[in-house]
Every structure is written in C-alpha cells, then in structure tokens.
C-alpha cells in the first residue's frame, strides 16, 4: 500500500452531487480528488428533471446553455382511457418568466446527459473523476482524515483535510460514521427503464391506468435521445422481467395494446421507494451530500436537484475555510441544508400520494425557487426587516444597464465564485475593497443603473441600503447605511476580512 501526498478534499462518489462539488472546488483552486467505485459513468435517465433553481446554479457553473441544448421541454401528458381515447394536458404548470425569475419551467434532461456535461466542465477546469477507484475505509482526527482507497493501480492511503461522502443511499461514508438514517419505506416498488421501442409517437408523455396502482404505466420520450423511459409500480415481492420481451409484455398488459414493442433496453432498475434523512450532515471533518444524506421518492423531481444544491452550498464554504475562514462556517452547511431536505421529503411523499390518485400535475412547489435560509446564522439584517426580500432569501435577478450604456443582468454581476456587495443609491462606500468581494453601486451615480426599476421592485431597498450576496446566490446581509459597520464583522467571519494597509 502506498501513501500519496495530501489534498484538501476527497470526494467519494462522482454522480451529480460529487461533480457539482468538484466543479465548485476546481473553480476556486481547492485541491481535491473525485473518486467513483463504478468503472464507468452512470448510464440511466433516472433524475431527468432540472428545476428552475438548479438551472440558475448551472448558469453560474457555466453549463446551462449546454444542458438546455442536450435536453428539452416536458411534452404534454396524454392520458388514455379504457376505450382507447385520450385527453391531453400539461404536466407542468406553465408560467412566463419574470425579470426576477428568468427560468420558470423544469427541463427534461436524462441524468446521464446532465452528468456528461458536468464532466466536460470539470475537464475544462483541469480535473477528471477517477472511475474504478473505491473508498474502503478512513479514520479522522482533529487535523484531517486518513483515507484508504483501492483503484486500478492498487491500494493507497491518502491524507486529506476533509472527506465528503457523495456515495449514494447505501453510503459507506455514512455507515462508517454510524450516522442514523431514519425514515420509512413507502410501500411502493417501481420500475424505471430506458428503452428503444416502436408503436408510440414522441410528442407526448403516454400514461395508462392513472389512479390504479396495479395498472399504472407511463412511457415518456426522453429529450435529447431516441429512447423512452418506462415507469410504473410493480408488486412488492417477486422477480421482475426487465428484458425487452418482459417489458413488452408488461406494456401490452397494462395498455391493452399489442402494437408497442420494446426493441432493446439500455438501462433498467426495480426499486423500493423510501423517504429517509440522515441524523446529521457533518461529523468532524467528514460531510454527507446528496443521496448519502437523504433519499426521496422520484415524484416531483426533487432528489437530484436537492443533491446538486447540497454540493453548491458546501463547496464555497469548504473553499472559504481552506483560504482561512473560521471552521464554524462549515457548521452552517447542515444548519441550512438539512431542513431543506426534510421539507423536500415531505413534498415528494405528498406528490406520491397524489400520483396514486392519478394526479401528476406539478406547479411552483417543485421549482425550488422559494427555498431559503432565513434562520441561518449567516443571515444578517440591520435593522430587522418586516417584509419583502429578507436575508437568507434567494437573490432575484434584474435587468440593468451599465453606466457605459450596455445592458447587463444582475445575475451576470453575481456570477462566479466571489461575494457581491450591492449598494442602492449609496452616499459612500460601506466597506473598502478586498479580494473575493465585488462591489457595485446601483443608481444615478453608480456603475450600474436600474433604468426599468426592476432591481427596486425585487429588492425593496431604501436609498443607502446595502445587500451582500453570497457566492451561492443567496442574500447574506441587508444593512442600512448607518449600520454598514456590521458588514465588516460579517465579512471577517466569511474569510473576507479587511486588507492590511501597505506602507506608503
């Protein structure tokens, strides 16, 4: 067994959560290794819904346009009656985008395509996942984690500052830490399969037997591919034939049609639906993200999106502490993300109950745009606000104009690994410049002009107020001009303390 040199972070698991964290660390210059025990990338469509909030994250990571190009919109759902007739409706509540919320509809992108784009982005940043490399054990102490990994070239021991378990519902990391994973099995077993088939057109999501858990079946054309995804409940016990012939027979039995033929199966799984939440997300220098921390039923498309946002939250905090911020900043990861997962578990379970009744329509509740951290230790208001935008809320977008006359979106100013301080018609600077903080003044004498009043409408600030936006696009602080000194203490906690004066 060989011992390799230290890196800051070891990420175990190269799915969507592990890849998000790796991209976040890579663009901040934090050293890491991303390992995956499977020898090849995941090739299933499983988490195919990309919610609007995740689209905003992908824009920040520089991959949204590629993700959109690989996938597409959800088709209308076509619900067949027993006599062969059907009705069509939108599966998603359709709302128009607004200046504050530029993305309003979930995208359909098969998970293997999403993860492929993320690996491309990681390669651009100079890193790759190590497939066929498995975490076999670890020990931690006050200074770091000693991890044992086994790869294609043999076994090795590495020393890291932190270990992150992104290794799925059966997480070795979680089990090694003896962290409880309470919850329940939901009494539903289902199949999901990606197949080539004939007999159905690709302009609708075909649904049979809605409201009947014995006959229910859905066949959805997968955007960006020539495949269909088959989904449906199956008996709790017994073997399920997931071959092309077996799935053809299942489709025929439940649809009452003999003209639909599965030609081949590229990926298939039978699984029991669970709703579980880890008792904690951090133990010492080890963290859990994604399915290692929470498992959801697939209803509502919350699992993959929640996992991505876990990693997005943790990444900038690990980078900040690596750069010198207080370790206590890392405690805010569990404080902020665990209540969100609990709420998403409740939502997905409620939507599963609706699915059993044949109700598959989804609205704003699944978009994750209303998620925030108002009770976080990182939420500061001076003075306390009684309404409108609050510290801990998602930072809205707004179309603006630069002082030189060119249009610019607020998201363009926020985009990237930095913090952003926005002053609304301020008289003087709130804090001096420093590395890692970009400062913009919005108003008549500022570098950015709110010509259409969209920033004013979304942020509801008084002249002289300052808004501090975190690297993950949430409001860290809102302070009045006479309370601006509170920003210095806040920024120091976040690792952005004042810059020492240079001798003249």
């Amino acid at each position: 067994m060989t011992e390799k040199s230290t890196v800051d972070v070891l990420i175990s698991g190269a799915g969507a959560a592990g890849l998000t964290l790796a991209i976040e660390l890579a663009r901040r210059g934090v050293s890491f290794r991303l390992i995956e025990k499977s020898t090849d990338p995941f090739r299933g469509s499983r988490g195919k819904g990309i919610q609007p909030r995740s689209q905003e994250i992908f824009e920040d990571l520089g991959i949204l346009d590629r993700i959109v190009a690989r996938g597409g919109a959800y088709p209308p759902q076509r619900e067949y009656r027993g006599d062969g007739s059907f009705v069509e409706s939108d599966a998603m509540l359709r709302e128009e985008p607004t200046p504050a919320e530029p993305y309003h509809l979930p995208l359909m992108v098969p998970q293997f395509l999403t993860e492929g784009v993320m690996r491309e982005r990681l390669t651009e940043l100079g890193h790759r996942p190590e497939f066929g490399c498995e975490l076999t054990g670890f020990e931690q102490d006050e200074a770091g984690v000693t991890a044992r990994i086994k790869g294609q070239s043999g076994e090795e021991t590495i020393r890291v500052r932190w270990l992150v378990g992104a290794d799925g519902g059966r997480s070795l990391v979680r089990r090694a830490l003896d962290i409880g994973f309470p919850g329940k099995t939901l009494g539903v077993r289902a199949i999901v399969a990606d197949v080539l088939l004939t007999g159905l057109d690709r302009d609708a999501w075909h649904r049979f037997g809605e409201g009947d858990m014995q006959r229910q079946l859905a066949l959805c054309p997968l955007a960006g591919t020539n495949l269909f995804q088959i989904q449906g409940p199956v008996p709790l016990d017994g073997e399920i034939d997931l071959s092309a012939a077996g799935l053809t027979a299942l489709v025929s039995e439940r649809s009452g049609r003999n003209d639909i033929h599965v030609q081949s199966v590229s990926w298939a799984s039978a699984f029991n639906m669970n709703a579980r939440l880890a008792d904690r997300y951090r133990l010492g220098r080890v963290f859990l993200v994604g399915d290692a921390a929470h498992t959801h039923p697939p209803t509502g498309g919350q699992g993959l999106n929640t996992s991505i946002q876990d990693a997005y939250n943790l990444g900038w905090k690990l980078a900040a502490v690596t750069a010198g911020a207080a370790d206590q900043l890392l405690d805010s990861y569990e404080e902020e993300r665990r209540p969100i997962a609990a709420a998403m578990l409740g939502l997905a379970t409620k939507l599963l109950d609706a699915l059993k009744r044949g109700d598959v329509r989804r609205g704003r509740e699944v978009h994750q745009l209303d998620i925030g951290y108002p009770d976080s230790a990182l939420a500061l208001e001076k003075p306390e606000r009684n309404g409108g935008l609050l510290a801990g809320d998602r930072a809205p977008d707004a179309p603006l104009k630069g002082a030189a006359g060119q249009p610019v979106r607020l998201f363009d100013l926020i985009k990237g690994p930095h913090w952003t301080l926005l002053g609304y018609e301020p008289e003087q600077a709130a804090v001096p410049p420093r590395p890692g903080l970009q400062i913009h003044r919005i108003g008549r004498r500022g570098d950015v002009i709110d010509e259409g009043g969209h920033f004013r409408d979304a942020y509801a600030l008084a002249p002289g107020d300052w808004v501090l936006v975190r690297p993950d696009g949430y409001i860290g602080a809102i302070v009045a001009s006479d309370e601006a000194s509170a920003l210095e203490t806040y920024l120091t906690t976040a690792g952005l303390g004042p810059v020492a004066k240079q001798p003249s």
Side-chain angles (χ1 to χ4, degrees):
M1 182 178 290
T2 60
E3 184 161 348
K4 292 274 182 88
S5 59
T6 298
V7 294
D8 288 314
V9 184
L10 175 63
I11 308 168
S12 178
L19 287 165
T20 302
L21 180 58
I23 292 169
E24 279 290 270
L25 297 179
R27 67 180 187 156
R28 288 174 166 81
V30 178
S31 62
F32 67 90
R33 287 179 67 177
L34 173 62
I35 64 173
E36 169 56 55
K37 70 177 182 179
S38 299
T39 55
D40 298 297
F42 178 67
R43 57 188 181 90
S45 64
R46 185 167 50 205
K48 67 181 185 295
I50 307 299
Q51 301 295 348
R53 177 54 188 156
S54 294
Q55 293 171 43
E56 295 180 350
I57 292 171
F58 285 163
E59 181 178 10
D60 182 40
L61 299 183
I63 60 174
L64 178 60
D65 288 333
R66 294 182 229 182
I67 292 286
V68 173
R70 299 290 175 89
Y74 275 78
Q77 57 185 6
R78 182 176 296 170
E79 185 177 336
Y80 292 85
R81 302 187 179 102
D83 62 2
S85 63
F86 60 81
V87 295
E88 285 194 357
S89 62
D90 285 328
M92 307 297 169
L93 179 65
R94 297 192 176 273
E95 297 179 351
E96 292 300 314
T98 67
E101 296 178 350
Y103 309 113
H104 253 214
L105 284 178
L107 290 170
M108 182 197 293
V109 191
Q111 187 171 335
F112 67 88
L113 292 180
T114 298
E115 292 182 1
V117 172
M118 298 175 84
R119 287 192 298 273
E120 290 174 5
R121 180 67 178 130
L122 187 60
T123 300
E124 293 170 353
L125 294 168
H127 298 269
R128 295 178 186 271
E130 300 176 43
F131 289 101
C133 188
E134 181 179 2
L135 177 70
T136 59
F138 62 89
E139 293 82 31
Q140 64 171 315
D141 53 44
E142 291 185 0
V145 181
T146 301
R148 298 181 297 279
I149 58 179
K150 181 172 66 177
Q152 297 176 2
S153 58
E155 298 182 3
E156 61 179 300
T157 299
I158 64 171
R159 182 72 172 169
V160 298
R161 293 179 69 178
W162 295 285
L163 168 65
V164 179
D167 50 347
R170 297 183 177 89
S171 171
L172 179 146
V173 175
R174 187 189 65 241
R175 288 184 280 115
L177 293 173
D178 198 25
I179 291 176
F181 202 41
K184 59 184 178 179
T185 298
L186 299 174
V188 177
R189 186 185 184 204
I191 61 163
V192 57
D194 301 342
V195 306
L196 280 174
L197 60 75
T198 58
L200 289 175
D201 58 48
R202 297 186 61 83
D203 61 358
W205 186 343
H206 306 272
R207 311 188 74 95
F208 300 91
E210 289 299 318
D212 183 347
M213 294 299 284
Q214 306 303 312
R215 292 190 56 250
Q216 197 172 101
L217 195 70
L219 299 97
C220 181
L222 287 170
T225 78
N226 58 355
L227 301 170
F228 277 78
Q229 183 192 71
I230 300 177
Q231 288 181 307
V234 293
L236 291 173
D237 300 309
E239 292 294 320
I240 304 297
D241 186 352
L242 296 175
S243 68
L247 290 171
T248 296
L250 179 67
V251 171
S252 177
E253 175 190 353
R254 297 196 181 187
S255 68
R257 292 171 53 170
N258 56 15
D259 61 329
I260 305 171
H261 298 279
V262 175
Q263 306 296 307
S264 61
V265 182
S266 67
W267 173 80
S269 175
F271 63 98
N272 289 297
M273 295 189 188
N274 289 277
R276 298 187 181 278
L277 179 63
D279 284 335
R280 55 195 307 178
Y281 279 22
R282 179 190 187 185
L283 187 57
R285 291 183 167 269
V286 185
F287 299 84
L288 302 176
V289 298
D291 288 351
H294 44 79
T295 60
H296 306 242
T299 41
Q302 300 300 290
L304 177 136
N305 293 273
T306 303
S307 298
I308 287 170
Q309 292 175 54
D310 286 345
Y312 191 60
N313 183 288
L314 180 60
W316 72 265
K317 295 172 182 177
L318 283 171
V321 175
T322 300
D327 180 80
Q328 286 78 6
L329 180 64
L330 294 172
D331 290 334
S332 68
Y333 166 62
E334 177 179 319
E335 176 193 21
E336 292 181 348
R337 292 303 303 168
R338 192 172 180 277
I340 298 301
M344 292 303 100
L345 283 167
L347 173 62
T349 303
K350 182 183 77 173
L351 293 175
L352 176 60
D353 291 337
L355 177 65
K356 293 176 181 178
R357 301 189 300 270
D359 179 6
V360 296
R361 191 168 172 82
R362 306 285 180 258
R364 184 180 176 89
E365 74 276 8
V366 303
H367 292 177
Q368 300 199 347
L369 292 170
D370 298 321
I371 286 173
Y373 313 120
D375 298 323
S376 170
L378 299 180
L380 171 69
E381 294 175 0
K382 292 276 188 175
E384 184 176 345
R385 292 166 66 88
N386 296 317
L389 191 72
L390 303 176
D393 287 350
R394 162 195 166 274
D397 196 8
L400 303 165
K401 182 179 285 189
Q406 296 302 310
V408 62
R409 287 170 59 206
L410 184 57
F411 274 9
D412 294 331
L413 305 181
I414 294 172
K415 184 177 181 179
H418 57 271
W419 292 74
T420 308
L421 184 59
L422 305 169
Y424 184 61
E425 298 185 353
E427 293 295 330
Q428 59 187 22
V431 297
R434 64 204 66 200
L437 176 68
Q438 294 189 10
I439 304 174
H440 298 279
R441 300 188 187 196
I442 299 174
R444 290 159 295 178
R445 294 185 297 276
D447 58 305
V448 185
I449 301 167
D450 185 26
E451 189 173 66
H454 297 293
F455 179 84
R456 177 199 63 217
D457 294 343
Y459 283 75
L461 302 178
D465 286 353
W466 291 87
V467 176
L468 181 65
V469 183
R470 301 171 7 166
D472 57 357
Y474 286 89
I475 304 297
I478 304 176
V479 300
S481 57
D482 58 351
E483 299 280 3
S485 61
L487 289 172
E488 280 292 359
T489 302
Y490 187 108
L491 291 169
T492 299
T493 302
L496 298 176
V499 179
K501 292 184 179 180
Q502 299 297 315
S504 58

